[in-house]
């Protein structure tokens, strides 16, 4: 394998750490020259990744941690910077492959910068497409960037989608584990704690996406993400609950055939696929033992307990900035879930915010999206205060 210039935005997170594993498997410094890496609060992990790979630039998004990072990397030759602008600058550096794994809408501006420099963008940061779909797809086209989905469902679809015959695609079917509250009743869900919500049965992920999986807001974001990534109409995006998380998603064709991608629930599959694309490289991930699995289960999602799915369809139908509003309101509600509002109230707050800010204009510029995101957070916080009082 040839040496490639790589950057990792969000290297200290769950996806970032799994990306480092994939690079180690591929040969470490022999396979990847780390041009730039970024993190936020975990300076120890950021500095360690920089040392291991001899990173050219290490950036913390938090300006208050600049001196800590500088001290941790003293004498290494790694350039150090801090603050949101420095994260964008890191993303703009010339690379062949950029992993976009910042969590939340904070990832949009840096990921747009990575797309503009024309790299292959391995996209984990789904909020980027949810909030700024049209904008981001246009930026990839304008920058000549190749967009490879890392979210396991979208990566699965990418692997089985016949892109030369878009008209032959009838629907895509996103699988959902159903999260830790799959079998809980509404009364129990209303009292759910943060600790219960982050305990995902199948996947080991960051805290925010784990809570989003418990409310199925993660699947809601993924429906909108799929629409933008694959150019689908809202009614072509279906969701099925599949508790084992073995089928990562499926594509249904007009002749009735359904193609699926299967694998053990390990994000390093999807990350490795995106790193080695268009080739396939051997990876030491768990192999499926079908005799031991014995069965795969499916059931329709329950939209009474998981209204996030309905909200996603409404946002897809509205289009434009509705995605940014849904995501911004959801991020604000999620922060408030830690003590101020109950688990089920997160969806109420998002629902209310989407209605309050309708009609939603077009997501034409980064400023449009940033303003819609800020407005959504303001309205959502009003809803939070009304409930917390
Ligand atoms: P995480 O919380 O573990 O890590 C987030 C990363 O973003 C960290 O490196 C953190 O330092 C950085 N970050 C946080 N706030 C920031 C800010 N304001 N500015 C710049 N950087 C900031 O999250 P994760 O689970 O690795 O998820 C990352 C993205 O990948 C999310 O969009 C998530 O939805 C998506 N994703 C994750 C998984 C998974 O298995 N973890 C699967 C599919 C998709
Ligand atoms: Mg996913």
């Amino acid at each position: 394998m040839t040496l490639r210039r790589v950057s990792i935005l969000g290297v200290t997170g769950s996806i970032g750490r799994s990306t480092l594993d994939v690079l180690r498997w591929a040969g470490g410094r022999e396979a990847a020259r780390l041009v730039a890496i970024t993190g936020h609060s975990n300076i120890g992990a950021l500095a360690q990744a920089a040392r291991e790979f001899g990173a050219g630039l290490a950036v913390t998004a938090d300006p208050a941690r600049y001196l800590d990072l500088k001290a941790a990397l003293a004498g290494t030759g790694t350039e150090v910077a801090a603050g949101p602008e420095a994260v964008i600058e890191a993303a703009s550096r010339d690379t062949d492959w950029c992993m976009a794994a910042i969590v939340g809408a904070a990832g949009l501006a840096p990921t747009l910068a990575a797309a503009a420099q024309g790299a292959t963008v391995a996209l984990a940061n789904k909020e980027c497409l949810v909030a700024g779909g049209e904008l981001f797809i246009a930026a990839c086209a304008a920058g000549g960037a190749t967009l490879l989905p890392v979210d396991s469902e979208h990566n699965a679809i990418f692997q089985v989608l016949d892109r030369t015959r878009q008209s032959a695609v009838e629907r895509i079917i996103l699988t959902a584990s159903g999260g830790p509250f799959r079998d809980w009743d509404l009364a129990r869900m209303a009292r759910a704690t943060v600790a219960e919500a982050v305990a995902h049965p199948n996947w080991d992920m960051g805290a925010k996406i784990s809570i989003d999986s418990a409310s199925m807001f993660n699947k809601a974001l993924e429906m909108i993400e799929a629409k933008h990534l694959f150019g689908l109409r809202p009614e072509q995006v279906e969701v099925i609950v599949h508790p084992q998380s073995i089928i990562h998603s499926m594509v249904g064709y007009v002749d009735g055939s359904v193609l699926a991608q299967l694998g053990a629930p390990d994000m390093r599959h999807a990350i490795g696929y995106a790193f080695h694309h268009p080739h396939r490289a051997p990876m030491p991930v768990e192999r499926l033992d079908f005799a031991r699995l014995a069965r795969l289960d499916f059931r329709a999602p329950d939209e009474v307990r998981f209204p996030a799915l309905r909200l996603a369809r409404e946002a897809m139908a509205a289009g434009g900035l509705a995605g940014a509003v849904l995501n911004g309101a959801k991020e604000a509600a999620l922060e408030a879930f830690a003590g101020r509002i109950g688990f089920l109230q997160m969806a109420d707050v998002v629902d209310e915010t989407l209605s309050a800010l309708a009609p939603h204009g077009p997501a034409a510029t980064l400023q449009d999206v940033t303003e819609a995101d800020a407005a959504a957070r303001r309205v959502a916080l009003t809803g939070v205060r009304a409930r917390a009082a």
Side-chain angles (χ1 to χ4, degrees), residues 33-54:
R33 184 157 71 74
L34 270 199
V35 171
I37 53 177
T38 77
H40 191 273
S41 350
N42 190 344
I43 298 303
L46 181 58
Q48 201 188 326
R51 283 175 182 273
E52 179 183 345
F53 285 86

Side-chain angles (χ1 to χ4, degrees), residues 10-16 38-41 61 87 101-104 106 124-127 151-152 204-207 209 218 267:
V11 74
T12 55
S14 168
I15 293 288
T38 77
H40 191 273
S41 350
V87 173
I102 291 173
V103 64
N125 179 224
K126 66 191 77 179
E127 296 87 351
D151 210 348
S152 57
D204 176 15
M205 307 179 288
I209 180 173
N218 182 49
M267 285 307 294

Side-chain angles (χ1 to χ4, degrees), residues 6 54 98-99 103 112 115 153 200 222 241 253 296 341 374:
V6 166
C98 172
M99 165 54 75
V103 64
L112 277 171
E153 296 77 3
H200 198 279
E222 291 181 354
V241 174
Y253 288 91
L296 297 175
I341 57 171

Side-chain angles (χ1 to χ4, degrees), residues 59 66 90 108 116 150 154 183 241-242 264 303 314 330 354 363 369 382:
V59 176
Y66 172 71
L108 178 58
V150 168
H154 307 73
D183 301 312
V241 174
H242 165 45
E303 297 202 2
E314 289 174 12
K330 201 263 321 164
L354 272 169
V369 176
T382 311

